[in-house]
Amino acid sequence: MATINDLPDEVLEFIINLLPPYKDVESCRLVCKRWADLGKNARFRKTINFQRSVAEGNLCWKEWEPPDAVAPRIAGRFSHCAAVFKSIMYIFGGGSSKVTTFNDLWAFNLSTRTWIRCNSHGNHPYPSPKARATMVCHEGQLVVFGGLRYPPIYPPFQRVCLFDELHVYNLEEEHWFYPKISTPWPPAMAGHSATIHGRQMVIFGGLQETALNVTYSNDIWCLDLETYVWKLQKTSPTKPEPRIDHYQIRLDDEHLLIVGGVGGVNNPFTDMWLLTMISSVWTWKEIPVRNKKCGATRMWTNPSCHVDEKLIVLGQNSTLPKDLQITNQIRLNIQAQRTFPQHQEQHRLRNPFQDPPNLTAPPPPLYGGGRRQPARGDAAAPEPSRVRQNFPRASSDHHHLGMMAFRESHSGLDMRERRLAALQKREQELQARRGMPLVVPTPKPTPCPPKKTRQNCEALFICDLSHVLHPHEPFVEWQEVQDGGVLPGAPVKTILSSLVAGNGELIVFGGLEQNTNQGNYTANNYLHFITVPHTVI
């Protein structure tokens, strides 16, 4: 009797490669030495193929479906925190569609593809419900800092509530704890960024609360994760502008990169800054960005992820109009109408099928009601009040749209088909009166119209960071993407979602989705994976 061990190594490795690259593959490696080698090769090949596919843009979307309706599932949310530790993705906090915030912690097992809510055992304080906080993983602990709570709808004109809380969740003991800190504390903040460098957590920017108001910041705060001591780090005079909702990328223990963000209303950023953390005074340096036309848009509401010297950003389809592009085009059309020569506007035809007037003679003035001017020899009539008619005129580009009510709405081929259908119906009525059997003509099969591709969907943008640490000429470069960055199976466009990297895949969760009919946004709990398409051997 044949068993699975009788399969060739190539087929068995292909089967192992179909499993989630987490605990299942590690369990297969415990069977025997052969399976251990095949599992190691499968995981290595999956990592290499994923990195190559990211560079080439050869990826696809896959949506996760719950195994059954009664399985536990996280509520929809946006502006939450996400982090991956081993084979589990953790989600904390976030906002809901009802202008409320969460303080729950959920774990998604990437091996079994199931949700589990993390509880805190013992008498330990939970963090406050909040969104737009930061959460990083360090040595089996989740460190959560900052965040905000949205104000209630009533009474109106209330300010957001910012937090300066620092909570740590022990993954092994499964409980929250509140470190006791006696050193100077950073102000309450939200929309900042954080990364781990050695034994310290580095925080940049954010919306900070001062004694007088709430303002944007470009300060650097450092937290020693062993002694829990805060420090306001000194930096060079040349630094990025204050901003929030930017990307912070850890390059190594001594370098990080700040990308994008927003500094206020109509003040988005697309620049990139490198921070070198070597001496007592850390230095900033702006990095040139090449091929900006292929870059991502709105790098403050869309998530990002760093994978193998590549920055991956989700954004709007690049083939669609950019921000304010439609409004600018309308404004340009209006300006063109205002600056159109007057003598050409006077002879503009409202009916495109009307014969053009004699352009050499001046146009006759119009009377009230659009009547013509009395000619010589006509009977005298009381002259009505002369009211100049200001008809709306279309621009020259849309001249064919004038007087649509007087245009033939059907082409000649459509009219012929309608007449043939009427004749066939009349013939059937005559045959029914004479008692003859009805002969119903078989309709010709109409070809199905091509399915329109959904354009309001997630697009993927990739930036090459391999030369960002070059000693002489550092730079970054956006890569060109096909089809506007839209991959097969792309979901509907969302904002304020999370994007994290797993083993050979990217995980996208939550966000705000716009309702087409109502025009508002709804928080969802959808889970998608960006991975390499499977090949058949």
Side-chain angles (χ1 to χ4, degrees):
M1 181 177 180
T3 62
I4 191 174
N5 288 324
D6 297 332
L7 296 175
D9 292 346
E10 294 80 7
V11 178
L12 187 56
E13 181 179 338
F14 175 80
I15 296 175
I16 296 176
N17 192 37
L18 296 177
L19 299 175
Y22 300 99
K23 192 174 181 179
D24 292 342
V25 177
E26 296 300 326
S27 300
C28 291
R29 297 182 61 184
L30 301 178
V31 175
C32 61
K33 186 178 183 302
R34 180 194 178 198
W35 282 52
D37 296 337
L38 294 177
K40 182 179 179 180
N41 294 339
R43 188 164 184 175
F44 177 76
R45 291 179 185 275
K46 194 175 189 68
T47 303
I48 295 300
N49 293 336
F50 179 73
Q51 295 175 357
R52 184 187 301 112
S53 299
V54 168
E56 299 174 355
N58 183 25
L59 300 170
C60 66
W61 288 81
K62 292 184 179 180
E63 184 177 1
W64 174 82
E65 295 292 343
D68 50 62
V70 298
R73 193 172 182 182
I74 187 174
R77 61 192 67 201
F78 66 95
S79 296
H80 49 275
C81 304
V84 174
F85 179 70
K86 293 183 178 180
S87 61
I88 299 178
M89 178 185 67
Y90 294 94
I91 301 293
F92 170 77
S96 68
S97 304
K98 304 299 182 181
V99 201
T100 58
T101 49
F102 301 97
N103 67 339
D104 51 351
L105 179 66
W106 284 78
F108 183 77
N109 193 316
L110 297 173
S111 182
T112 60
R113 308 294 193 188
T114 54
W115 284 104
I116 302 173
R117 181 167 181 173
C118 302
N119 297 319
S120 181
H121 303 289
N123 188 14
H124 299 281
Y126 274 80
S128 301
K130 52 188 174 181
R132 300 175 72 178
T134 55
M135 180 175 68
V136 294
C137 186
H138 175 70
E139 295 182 355
Q141 295 179 344
L142 300 176
V143 184
V144 179
F145 176 72
L148 61 83
R149 182 172 62 237
Y150 297 102
I153 301 178
Y154 185 84
F157 308 111
Q158 295 192 67
R159 205 170 67 177
V160 296
C161 179
L162 300 178
F163 295 98
D164 60 354
E165 300 175 345
L166 177 68
H167 285 82
V168 181
Y169 186 82
N170 192 309
L171 297 176
E172 183 178 358
E173 301 178 2
E174 298 183 350
H175 69 83
W176 290 99
F177 69 92
Y178 189 81
K180 296 182 179 181
I181 302 175
S182 59
T183 56
W185 199 280
M189 64 178 66
H192 54 284
S193 57
T195 50
I196 297 294
H197 299 265
R199 53 180 285 181
Q200 62 181 354
M201 178 177 66
V202 181
I203 293 176
F204 170 76
L207 185 68
Q208 296 186 1
E209 185 176 16
T210 61
L212 299 178
N213 56 5
V214 176
T215 181
Y216 300 109
S217 172
N218 58 354
D219 295 335
I220 291 286
W221 283 87
C222 300
L223 174 66
D224 193 314
L225 296 175
E226 294 184 2
T227 61
Y228 293 103
V229 175
W230 285 100
K231 180 182 67 173
L232 179 60
Q233 180 61 42
K234 295 181 180 181
T235 59
S236 57
T238 304
K239 60 179 65 177
E241 296 185 34
R243 63 190 68 194
I244 62 173
D245 297 333
H246 46 274
Y247 309 148
Q248 181 168 327
I249 303 168
R250 180 190 181 276
L251 301 176
D252 52 35
D253 288 342
E254 299 177 348
H255 298 88
L256 64 83
L257 188 67
I258 300 297
V259 181
V262 62
V265 180
N266 295 330
N267 188 22
F269 296 110
T270 58
D271 53 352
M272 299 190 185
W273 290 79
L274 177 66
L275 179 63
T276 303
M277 304 173 289
I278 296 179
S279 60
S280 59
V281 178
W282 294 354
T283 58
W284 286 102
K285 183 179 181 180
E286 186 174 4
I287 304 299
V289 181
R290 299 182 181 179
N291 202 13
K292 285 187 177 182
K293 64 179 182 179
C294 298
T297 59
R298 296 196 176 194
M299 290 192 291
W300 71 93
T301 59
N302 299 316
S304 69
C305 185
H306 181 220
V307 178
D308 188 42
E309 298 184 345
K310 295 290 189 300
L311 172 64
I312 300 177
V313 181
L314 297 182
Q316 179 182 337
N317 186 351
S318 60
T319 59
L320 298 179
K322 298 291 191 304
D323 301 337
L324 304 179
Q325 186 171 347
I326 300 179
T327 307
N328 292 336
Q329 185 64 31
I330 296 176
R331 188 182 297 113
L332 291 176
N333 292 340
I334 295 176
Q335 293 177 359
Q337 294 178 15
R338 292 177 178 176
T339 58
F340 201 87
Q342 186 67 21
H343 67 277
Q344 296 185 16
E345 286 193 7
Q346 293 178 353
H347 304 298
R348 190 75 56 81
L349 296 180
R350 297 181 68 235
N351 188 349
F353 297 97
Q354 179 182 349
D355 293 335
N358 186 9
L359 300 181
T360 59
L366 295 177
Y367 286 76
R371 291 177 293 182
R372 68 176 180 84
Q373 183 181 9
R376 180 179 299 179
D378 291 347
E383 183 177 351
S385 59
R386 300 190 179 185
V387 180
R388 184 67 177 176
Q389 298 287 333
N390 295 324
F391 294 103
R393 296 181 174 91
S395 61
S396 59
D397 295 338
H398 304 281
H399 177 66
H400 62 281
L401 298 179
M403 298 294 289
M404 290 294 296
F406 294 92
R407 299 181 62 183
E408 187 179 4
S409 59
H410 301 279
S411 62
L413 183 60
D414 294 339
M415 293 297 298
R416 181 177 179 273
E417 292 179 355
R418 293 179 61 184
R419 291 172 181 172
L420 289 177
L423 292 176
Q424 292 175 359
K425 184 177 180 181
R426 181 61 178 170
E427 184 180 358
Q428 293 176 8
E429 293 177 356
L430 293 176
Q431 291 177 358
R433 291 180 181 179
R434 297 172 182 174
M436 299 175 61
L438 296 179
V439 179
V440 180
T442 57
K444 297 181 179 180
T446 58
C448 298
K451 186 177 180 181
K452 296 182 179 180
T453 58
R454 183 176 55 193
Q455 297 191 11
N456 186 22
C457 53
E458 294 282 6
L460 198 71
F461 300 89
I462 303 173
C463 183
D464 186 9
L465 306 179
S466 58
H467 299 86
V468 70
L469 296 178
H470 194 277
H472 303 293
E473 296 181 359
F475 68 92
V476 296
E477 184 176 6
W478 290 97
Q479 297 182 0
E480 295 185 4
V481 292
Q482 298 179 357
D483 301 329
V486 179
L487 302 176
V492 177
K493 180 72 183 74
T494 58
I495 60 175
L496 302 177
S497 57
S498 62
L499 176 65
V500 293
N503 294 337
E505 59 186 2
L506 302 176
I507 306 105
V508 184
F509 170 74
L512 286 175
E513 180 181 345
Q514 185 177 13
N515 298 325
T516 307
N517 299 331
Q518 302 178 1
N520 56 356
Y521 287 86
T522 304
N524 64 61
N525 59 350
Y526 302 148
L527 189 65
H528 294 85
F529 293 88
I530 305 177
T531 183
V532 182
H534 288 303
T535 57
V536 180
I537 60 174

